[in-house]
Amino acid sequence: MTDKTYVLAIDQGTTSSRAILFDHGGEIVAVDQKEHAQILPRAGWVEHDALEIWRNTRDVVAGVLSAAEVNRHEIAAVGITNQRESVVVWDRTTGEPVHNVIVWQDTRTQKICDRLAASAPGASAEAPDYDRYKDRVGLGLATYFAGPKVAWILENVEGARERAEAGDLLLGTMDTWVLWNMTGGVDGGVHATDVTNASRTMLMNIDTLDWNAEICADMGIPVSMLPEIKPSSGVFGYGRKNGLLVDTPISGILGDQQAATFGQACFEVGQAKNTYGTGCFMLMNTGTTPVRSANGLLTTVAYQIGDAPAVYALEGSIAVAGSLVQWLRDNLGLITESKDVEELARSVEDNGGAYFVPAFSGLFAPYWRPDARGALVGLTRYVNKGHIARAVEESTAFQTREVLEAMNRDAAASGSPGATLTELKVDGGMTRDELLMQFQADQVGVPVVRPRVAETTALGAAYAAGIAVGFWSGTQDVVDNWAEGKRWLPQMDDAERERLFRNWKKAVTRTLDWVDEDVVE
């Protein structure tokens, strides 16, 4: 352990940027947070302003240091965690983005994905191969991932391709953008990413952890744009001279869901966690060998500490969870604050027969159906706003059960001990909703466990950074710091549990084939 007192985590998320200061016990000392604009130019498009995010990052760092009354001399290291797959392309000389951030939820790249699938060896427009890269990158072709988003920018922003081919443009997921600016930007900024974020681009070889030049060429992305890939825990660079964190090591980077897995101490094969945020993401540790999914899941890198072998995970990604509650608040006005959804849902005894499938950006795992759109079904005149709130809550639990069952099938096929999952660790903002957590336990049929420190995403990034500089000695410190906060046990009758899930599956079928091929962007 060093003589420093704290580790700072920067959590650059989908709706806000936060800075959280942690002490050696993994406890929160101070937090500052600032939301950024959600830019929605047209249906299916979601963008952020990268410069606004960088301004907000500086603001929250200043805010958290002020709140805690500390300065950089007391900070051992900085960790970064981020919304994954969201990508920005910027000019290496001016630092100006050539386009807004294209966010992970954005679906505009469907035609690019279709084109790549149709041009696969042995494929055609009538028989496309959306898994053409899956053996190499662990991911199927989908709008979710960063690579096709970069291809869209180069194809649609005037002059971008020429500037990229001339070596003038850089690309990165949001960790890379924050790191580059924090380490100096145009004045010597470090252009790097970690293995977890690189594994979400569809451009990195999952086995060898390096960029795949052939796939880059297929997507028209010059390799010169790409950041250097580094381990998740290790020194990436140091704070810029004219910032608040001068010379402070930035020594941990993890994509948000991998950071939560790290913060939840899921270091053993078969351990799993589920994060309830804007979307919902379950990861199961599969050890140092990547497991290919046959059930609609993703093969991803969970973390890598220094020179040690990378650890992999199976992941089930759900596009809409907490953002459905925000939609209920902002678009329908049924609640004033997101936390009010639980009280409204408790005003009724059940869902009244209503089911809400939030396929706003298509369906992610385990379906991967970009043609799906949201549906509220099973309505009668009996249904009121309480039933709708309850259907909103239950949709997250139903989707999680679908992912968990797919994960168990993959784990069983690979011989992983994850096939006998005995409890589900949970984290994220929605875990404060006790009605949802109880219904989740009822649906998955195993205990649901929330840690005492629920901010596991930021905490995971802090641990990775602190381990790299000796503030924590290793993963055992993470295990020792982890403490259970609350546990929910399954209570529902099996017949009722299965009836509800059966109706959910029926509701999902009503969302499919909604988008005409001719209008999918």
Side-chain angles (χ1 to χ4, degrees), residues 138-152:
L139 315 170
L141 272 164
T143 60
Y144 183 24
F145 305 111
K149 300 181 195 300
V150 176
W152 188 94

Side-chain angles (χ1 to χ4, degrees), residues 274 280-283 296-298 314-318 365 403 407:
N274 198 34
C280 204
F281 304 89
M282 187 184 299
L283 272 74
L297 304 179
L298 311 176
L314 280 171
E315 176 176 335
S317 309
I318 297 166
V403 165
M407 199 165 278

Side-chain angles (χ1 to χ4, degrees), residues 1 5-7 22-27 463 470-473 477 481:
M1 180 176 170
T5 310
Y6 307 110
V7 172
F22 293 96
D23 64 17
H24 193 262
E27 298 289 342
Y463 279 138
F471 185 80
W472 288 290
S473 60
D477 280 352
N481 279 351

Side-chain angles (χ1 to χ4, degrees), residues 22 25-27 81 254-267 271-275 283 302-303 305 425-428 449-465 467 472 475-484:
F22 293 96
E27 298 289 342
T81 183
L254 289 154
D256 53 9
Q257 303 313 318
Q258 286 92 339
T261 306
F262 204 93
Q264 285 272 39
C266 293
F267 300 126
Q271 290 183 322
K273 69 89 206 175
N274 198 34
T275 297
L283 272 74
Y303 61 88
I305 299 174
K425 291 183 174 181
V426 299
D427 54 71
V449 184
R450 183 181 67 196
R452 190 181 69 240
V453 178
E455 297 293 351
T456 54
T457 299
L459 182 57
Y463 279 138
I467 288 170
W472 288 290
T475 56
Q476 188 58 47
D477 280 352
V478 182
V479 174
D480 293 342
N481 279 351
W482 189 94
E484 181 174 317

